[in-house]
Amino acid sequence: MSQLYYPNKNKFQNSPIPDMESYRALVAKFDKDFEGTWAEFAKEKIDWFKPFDRVLDESEAPFYKWFSGGVMNVAHQCIDRHLATKKNKAAIIFEGDNGDKRTLTYQELANEVNKTANMFKNEFGITKGDRVVIYMPMIPEAAIVMLACAKIGAIHSVVFGGFSAEALRDRVIDAQAKLVVTADGAFRKGKPYMLKPVVDEALKEGCDSVEKVCVIARNNEDINWVDGRDVSYEELLAKQSLVCEAEPMESEDPLFLLYTSGSTGKPKGVQHSSAGYILWAQMTMEWVFDIKDNDTFWCTADVGWITGHTYIVYGPLAAGATTVMFEGVPTYPDAGRCWRMVEEYKINQFYTAPTAIRLLHKMGEDEPKKYDLSSLRVLGTVGEPIDPAAWKWYYEVVGNSECSIVDTYWQTETGGHVISPIAAATPIKPACATLPLPGIYAEVIEEDGTPTPVGEKGYMCITKPWPSMIRTIWGDPERFKKSYFGDCKKDGKPVYFSGDGAMVDEDGYITITGRTDDVINVSGHRLGTAELEAAIKKHPDIAAVAVVGMPHDIKGEGIFAYIVPKSEDIAPKEELQKAINELIKKEIGAIALTDEIAIVPDLPKTRSGKIMRRILRSIVKGEPITQDTSTLEDPSIVPTIEGIVGKRA
Ligand code: PRX
């Protein structure tokens, strides 16, 4: 049994769930009255324009509806309702790559959001339900634009700034977006980089739905301008009124789409609701992060990912907190950047990905000791498994063995945390997500719903609906059902399967063991092997390809591609990898480049033509092959590939 760690109790005063007794009491309360308990929280936390008359409607399961009849508005919940008591409190503290700073109080944020919302409504004719694609750097305007959409009921779809023109185009077309909001570019590691040219390229084909491209000036580099389509944000903003009524939104009206990778096909547009999503975003801020009125909360994610949506923008602002937005990277100008910012802004909660923790650990073991980090209370990690060594460094060196480490397990589809320590209450274990949050019925089960025995790997499922869950896949309800409710059942009823494997220990603590499907997690970025393979197959000399994850010291997982050439007349390996990476950069973006490739004569296929990826995964890890290879079309291919891959070291 691994050791339990207890953060310094004195750091946690007046917390909503202060200890394990309260945790267990709350879990029991949900057990006893599931809907009643959710109703209590929804009434207490959300400023309803009209109260809901039904808590949970399961009549069209798995298309669950929460808080039907209720009317509210997420921007009102995040900003307007705070103005009576917090108008001069910092809502967003921004630090640019070059160290430039900007603070927006709640009143200033309200003004910017209202002006932007009026611009979208009055200048571009955006109305409730229209889709707006946001392709932006990490500047306050990214949050302002998201909230402006929420204010008028437009559905935003933020596309991560590292995605290529092709990837952006696919998302614009799938959502049939009317408006694209972007910036000229921004700064990274002291240098400008560009976004607007990517938008220009994306919109060259098939994006007829787009009427306007609204461009924000950030780095002031020269950009191309399409008259009649492109408009300057700053020019139009100056003319707008400070007053904008919040659009009355039904609980289930979509708030946003966020595209994420699955094991097959194209990325899917995960659709989230208004009331259920914001309720859980706010509650997890309070429970997991122990957010208090005077805290400064810093999540280093990008707004292009769900972590940025829920824990930079919506969660912190719904909770009335101060959220830090950072444009740069943790290692520029040096590996002390984050710790210097923690000291300067007196950060109380610091939330980042294991990749960043591993990198900062490697680049500056003792760097945190140069700064006063005593303001820290909660350290968060998200997006991928963290290894015990990185966890211990985070706990001991960054947190001075006093902070809670919340290893938060969740997904784009869950909207907010589902399994996580509660900072003030849960004794923690290295690299362990610990226990399901109250109200979340996360269970490790077999396909038929029986609990997986302690210490064995099972399916990570959630057996009851929860308010912030994915509502559907945009435009493809069948795929939604099949992707999430097709694999596991409990009491004969399909239940949500996350795609992850997990294990429960003797204390009931859950450790996530990683994806069970063909999704690779590179630096916490979720990539489907199908997408990667489709990009690589565009190479004219390649007959077949299989992509698998490989262990990587910093990124957690790297990308390894097995390439079958059409003929022996193929470019040397380095040259071929370069060409493949160019294709990936064009089709997906630089986040998805291969780390290594192997040129092989064939792939291990069953007689029906299915590629046995597990064998390929074992080979790249150097593990012995335990799978039965006798069913392969050509079993001798396995030692041949082993020989080729084994030689690479
Ligand atoms: O495999 C799990 C991993 O990240 C996946 C979700 O990716 P995405 O939707 O991009 O959201 C990332 C941020 C929430 C999961 O299916 N994952 C997420 N958190 C953890 C994790 N793996 C291990 N430990 C975690 N804490």
Side-chain angles (χ1 to χ4, degrees):
M1 193 182 297
S2 58
Q3 187 192 343
L4 288 169
Y5 289 72
Y6 295 85
N8 182 352
K9 269 276 162 206
N10 296 330
K11 286 204 172 236
F12 298 92
Q13 309 285 335
N14 304 319
S15 299
I17 306 180
D19 49 36
M20 286 311 279
E21 211 182 311
S22 324
Y23 167 81
R24 281 187 287 268
L26 193 47
V27 171
K29 192 170 149 76
F30 273 105
D31 284 347
K32 202 165 153 228
D33 183 7
F34 181 71
E35 291 193 24
T37 308
W38 277 119
E40 253 178 58
F41 282 113
K43 277 183 202 153
E44 180 197 327
K45 304 289 177 190
I46 292 185
D47 193 10
W48 296 98
F49 299 168
K50 177 175 164 283
F52 55 90
D53 40 45
R54 189 163 181 189
V55 184
L56 172 63
D57 177 355
E58 303 191 73
S59 60
E60 290 167 53
F63 301 94
Y64 296 101
K65 295 191 188 81
W66 284 88
F67 313 122
S68 302
V71 177
M72 44 81 70
N73 179 286
V74 167
H76 170 88
Q77 179 74 10
C78 290
I79 308 171
D80 302 356
R81 74 183 180 109
H82 299 312
L83 295 177
T85 54
K86 300 181 197 279
K87 70 177 191 299
N88 293 323
K89 175 176 175 169
I92 297 176
I93 294 177
F94 167 73
E95 184 165 308
D97 180 65
N98 294 323
D100 51 320
K101 297 177 169 61
R102 190 176 154 200
T103 298
L104 285 141
T105 63
Y106 271 90
Q107 186 61 59
E108 286 168 326
L109 180 63
N111 293 348
E112 295 306 298
V113 167
N114 286 352
K115 285 190 287 176
T116 306
N118 283 329
M119 176 199 308
F120 290 0
K121 209 164 54 176
N122 303 331
E123 310 277 347
F124 312 145
I126 301 293
T127 55
K128 182 173 169 175
D130 283 343
R131 274 80 59 210
V132 175
V133 162
I134 301 174
Y135 188 68
M136 296 264 289
M138 281 290 295
I139 55 174
E141 282 73 15
I144 291 166
V145 168
M146 289 162 76
L147 290 155
C149 289
K151 188 100 198 218
I152 59 175
I155 304 169
H156 63 68
S157 165
V158 183
V159 178
F160 173 58
F163 278 121
S164 69
E166 307 273 336
L168 175 61
R169 176 186 302 147
D170 285 347
R171 287 156 176 78
V172 167
I173 293 174
D174 191 72
Q176 287 294 293
K178 201 164 160 184
L179 171 67
V180 176
V181 187
T182 189
D184 44 9
F187 298 96
R188 190 189 296 123
K189 294 191 191 171
K191 294 194 189 81
Y193 72 92
M194 302 307 289
L195 290 170
K196 173 68 165 51
V198 184
V199 174
D200 290 337
E201 180 64 29
L203 298 189
K204 270 188 187 156
E205 277 171 43
C207 297
D208 307 334
S209 61
V210 176
E211 293 172 10
K212 293 283 174 211
V213 174
C214 181
V215 187
I216 294 161
R218 167 64 184 152
N219 65 15
N220 295 306
E221 296 288 309
D222 286 342
I223 48 173
N224 174 46
W225 203 258
V226 178
D227 286 331
R229 185 196 74 181
D230 297 352
V231 286
S232 155
Y233 178 77
E234 290 77 12
E235 268 176 33
L236 288 178
L237 196 71
K239 303 197 272 187
Q240 308 302 322
S241 151
L242 294 177
V243 184
C244 176
E245 283 297 311
E247 182 74 29
M249 301 293 283
E250 303 274 334
S251 296
E252 282 297 322
D253 281 336
L255 177 64
F256 65 83
L257 310 178
L258 189 56
Y259 285 79
T260 191
S261 296
S263 45
T264 54
K266 290 205 172 219
K268 41 198 179 186
V270 171
Q271 181 180 317
H272 276 289
S273 70
S274 294
Y277 169 79
I278 202 68
L279 174 66
W280 194 235
Q282 184 178 328
M283 286 172 69
T284 49
M285 282 303 297
E286 295 168 0
W287 290 359
V288 172
F289 291 124
D290 194 50
I291 194 83
K292 299 282 165 54
D293 199 40
N294 200 33
D295 283 349
T296 306
F297 179 88
W298 182 17
C299 165
T300 69
D302 189 284
V303 286
W305 309 112
I306 191 67
T307 308
H309 282 58
T310 309
Y311 298 110
I312 294 177
V313 181
Y314 288 116
L317 297 175
T322 298
T323 184
V324 174
M325 268 184 103
F326 175 49
E327 178 188 36
V329 298
T331 50
Y332 176 82
D334 57 50
R337 179 73 184 257
C338 292
W339 318 130
R340 204 265 301 138
M341 283 176 65
V342 168
E343 177 181 271
E344 183 173 339
Y345 297 110
K346 302 287 174 277
I347 304 284
N348 304 97
Q349 292 88 354
F350 178 71
Y351 191 30
T352 196
T355 293
I357 300 168
R358 286 189 289 263
L359 188 67
L360 291 172
H361 179 194
K362 196 168 162 205
M363 288 184 66
E365 171 90 43
D366 292 325
E367 200 69 29
K369 292 186 183 148
K370 295 186 194 158
Y371 300 86
D372 175 9
L373 306 183
S374 58
S375 59
L376 288 171
R377 194 159 84 244
V378 184
L379 297 170
T381 136
V382 58
E384 40 170 338
I386 180 167
D387 45 291
W391 191 97
K392 279 215 168 118
W393 178 76
Y394 204 28
Y395 183 76
E396 287 166 6
V397 181
V398 180
N400 196 29
S401 304
E402 291 195 310
C403 299
S404 180
I405 295 208
V406 291
D407 180 348
T408 61
Y409 168 74
W410 60 297
Q411 309 177 294
T412 305
E413 293 87 342
T414 67
H417 306 145
V418 287
I419 304 174
S420 172
I422 289 168
T426 317
I428 48 182
K429 282 184 195 181
C432 177
T434 75
L435 299 164
L437 292 171
I440 304 288
Y441 288 75
E443 297 180 56
V444 182
I445 56 176
E446 302 299 295
E447 277 173 44
D448 63 0
T450 51
T452 303
V454 166
E456 285 177 27
K457 269 194 208 177
Y459 294 99
M460 188 68 254
C461 291
I462 307 179
T463 57
K464 285 188 188 192
W466 66 104
S468 67
M469 71 192 293
I470 172 176
R471 291 307 194 264
T472 189
I473 291 173
W474 179 257
D476 201 346
E478 274 313 305
R479 188 172 176 201
F480 164 73
K481 269 212 263 191
K482 227 172 106 201
S483 305
Y484 304 106
F485 293 88
D487 293 293
C488 299
K489 284 195 169 129
K490 192 177 173 181
D491 303 325
K493 230 171 87 179
V495 294
Y496 177 87
F497 170 49
S498 62
D500 286 300
M503 217 152 62
V504 183
D505 71 9
E506 310 79 357
D507 298 323
Y509 275 33
I510 299 173
T511 298
I512 306 298
T513 53
R515 301 289 304 193
T516 62
D517 54 10
D518 294 323
V519 167
I520 308 183
N521 193 329
V522 180
S523 306
H525 302 154
R526 199 165 141 181
L527 299 165
T529 50
E531 285 166 78
L532 287 156
E533 288 165 5
I536 296 172
K537 268 195 208 135
K538 299 217 158 152
H539 193 291
D541 299 338
I542 292 175
V545 52
V547 169
V548 297
M550 60 182 258
H552 191 286
D553 279 355
I554 300 292
K555 299 197 272 188
E557 263 188 306
I559 298 175
F560 191 98
Y562 292 90
I563 306 288
V564 183
K566 279 188 181 156
S567 73
E568 279 178 14
D569 183 23
I570 184 107
K573 198 169 109 173
E574 284 73 31
E575 217 176 282
L576 184 64
Q577 186 179 7
K578 236 171 128 187
I580 287 172
N581 281 346
E582 278 306 315
L583 278 169
I584 294 177
K585 213 163 150 184
K586 182 165 172 287
E587 299 289 321
I588 305 172
I591 52 170
L593 302 186
T594 61
D595 292 278
E596 278 192 52
I597 67 165
I599 301 176
V600 295
D602 204 352
L603 298 170
K605 278 185 290 214
T606 60
R607 284 185 199 103
S608 60
K610 191 172 170 290
I611 297 168
M612 298 275 285
R613 283 165 196 285
R614 277 173 58 195
I615 294 179
L616 294 173
R617 277 196 287 265
S618 298
I619 293 176
V620 76
K621 283 187 194 155
E623 288 171 357
I625 310 290
T626 53
Q627 294 85 7
D628 176 15
T629 56
S630 64
T631 57
L632 292 181
E633 194 181 56
D634 171 16
S636 76
I637 192 68
V638 176
T640 307
I641 299 178
E642 274 183 304
I644 295 170
V645 174
K647 269 198 235 121
R648 80 191 206 278

